[in-house]
Amino acid sequence: MKRTIGIDMDGVLADIEDHILQSYAAETGIVLSRDEIKGKSEEELFPDREMVMKICNKAGFFRNLPLMEGAVETVKKLMEDYEIYIVSAAMEFPLSLFEKREWLAEHFPFIGWRNIIFCGDKSIIDTDYLIDDHCKNLDFCKGKPLMFTAFHNVEKDHHQRVNHWNEVPDLLKRLEEEQLENLAIA
Amino acid sequence: MKRTIGIDMDGVLADIEDHILQSYAAETGIVLSRDEIKGKSEEELFPDREMVMKICNKAGFFRNLPLMEGAVETVKKLMEDYEIYIVSAAMEFPLSLFEKREWLAEHFPFIGWRNIIFCGDKSIIDTDYLIDDHCKNLDFCKGKPLMFTAFHNVEKDHHQRVNHWNEVPDLLKRLEEEQLENLAIA
């Protein structure tokens, strides 16, 4: 049986950062750059929670997110060796459910419905790896956490970091080799 | 930490059986009773898969499902001792996503978004128990499977059966006691 990888959507498959900054500027007139927001938590950056909810609940917000560079090519490649599950915490935004499903159908048509999970917290998701940008998910996952770099996690260092999708295949290969070595030693 | 229970929607929280028979009769003119369909698989009963897809994809189908008797009261009671997760294989019917979310908000408003999972296959869901009517889910679940009686599983006997929601609290109590006894013996 293939080993399993859970993959988050926002901030991992979808490049939500720029999109949310643009929407925030349009709503509030406050223009923030990617560099300015580095190292800040989402709560520090957007203390007005209602505004974030307004932005994220707007029709089309999740449907029109741009792809993260290299995501499609790498996921396709990983599917040769792994069972890939898309695991998105979509339940907070009920309107996003259909849009996220449509987004996946457009950009990742090779991922079937059996391998898509829209959830709340991810603590009951059991995959061998979880690629996610949020420590609130990675800290409690059952498999090996891989932290995809995002503005809010650049100062965190308690998980294996991934900066770009093109790093993922080699990283997984190395981790698998290390696990085999550890098994041999044990 | 509380132990966890995953609970399926269709055929477990929602009484889909009667609803689908009525919709089938309306579409095809073929009237089937609950007694007639006992012991048949979904595939035997509805060989015309396209018709099933048509019925299930109709706007309002999942939004208007009646509640399973005793479901609300028992789930509320179980939440005192367990962490409850709703785990529905909603991904096959993208249009159902929003309707299922709305249905839960109406009938189970005490279940928060963090505890709702819409998925495809349930093999990566790790809860201590899974209450479900489908062996395709129960056979591969990571926890203890509890098979909720439905027409298509009456002749299956390889999982612990539950016939009605009012049986569940006592059954869980008994299973917990058995587990403690087994631990003591070991």
Side-chain angles (χ1 to χ4, degrees), chain B residues 105-157:
Chain B
E106 180 190 347
H107 297 293
F108 295 84
F110 45 88
I111 291 181
W113 63 266
R114 287 180 180 80
N115 292 54
I116 300 174
I117 296 113
F118 291 167
C119 57
D121 80 51
K122 300 187 185 179
S123 61
I124 64 161
I125 306 299
D126 187 5
T127 50
D128 295 309
Y129 298 94
L130 178 65
I131 305 178
D132 203 297
D133 61 326
H134 277 288
C135 288
K136 67 184 172 194
N137 298 321
L138 296 163
D139 290 351
F140 301 99
C141 77
K142 293 181 191 281
K144 167 79 181 163
L146 303 178
M147 183 169 68
F148 205 94
T149 294
F151 72 89
H152 55 78
N153 69 30
V154 291
E155 286 173 2
K156 307 270 169 77
D157 60 5

Side-chain angles (χ1 to χ4, degrees), chain A residues 4 83 85 87 89 91-92 94-95 97-98 101-102 113-121 123-127 142, chain B residues 4 83 85 87 89 91-92 94-95 97-98 101-102 113-121 123-127 142:
Chain A
T4 54
E83 189 73 23
Y85 288 92
V87 183
M91 219 46 79
E92 191 175 5
L95 292 173
L97 293 166
F98 187 69
R101 186 71 188 79
E102 291 279 285
W113 65 267
R114 287 181 180 78
N115 292 55
I116 301 174
I117 296 114
F118 291 166
C119 59
D121 81 49
S123 61
I124 64 161
I125 306 298
D126 188 5
T127 49
K142 294 181 190 282
Chain B
T4 54
E83 189 73 23
Y85 289 92
V87 183
M91 218 48 76
E92 191 175 5
L95 292 173
L97 294 166
F98 187 68
R101 185 71 189 79
E102 290 279 285
W113 63 266
R114 287 180 180 80
N115 292 54
I116 300 174
I117 296 113
F118 291 167
C119 57
D121 80 51
S123 61
I124 64 161
I125 306 299
D126 187 5
T127 50
K142 293 181 191 281

Side-chain angles (χ1 to χ4, degrees), chain B residues 38-51:
Chain B
K38 268 189 186 152
K40 292 191 176 158
S41 72
E42 286 186 342
E43 291 70 27
E44 283 171 312
L45 198 60
F46 308 118
D48 183 354
R49 186 77 191 147
E50 265 182 47
M51 175 57 69

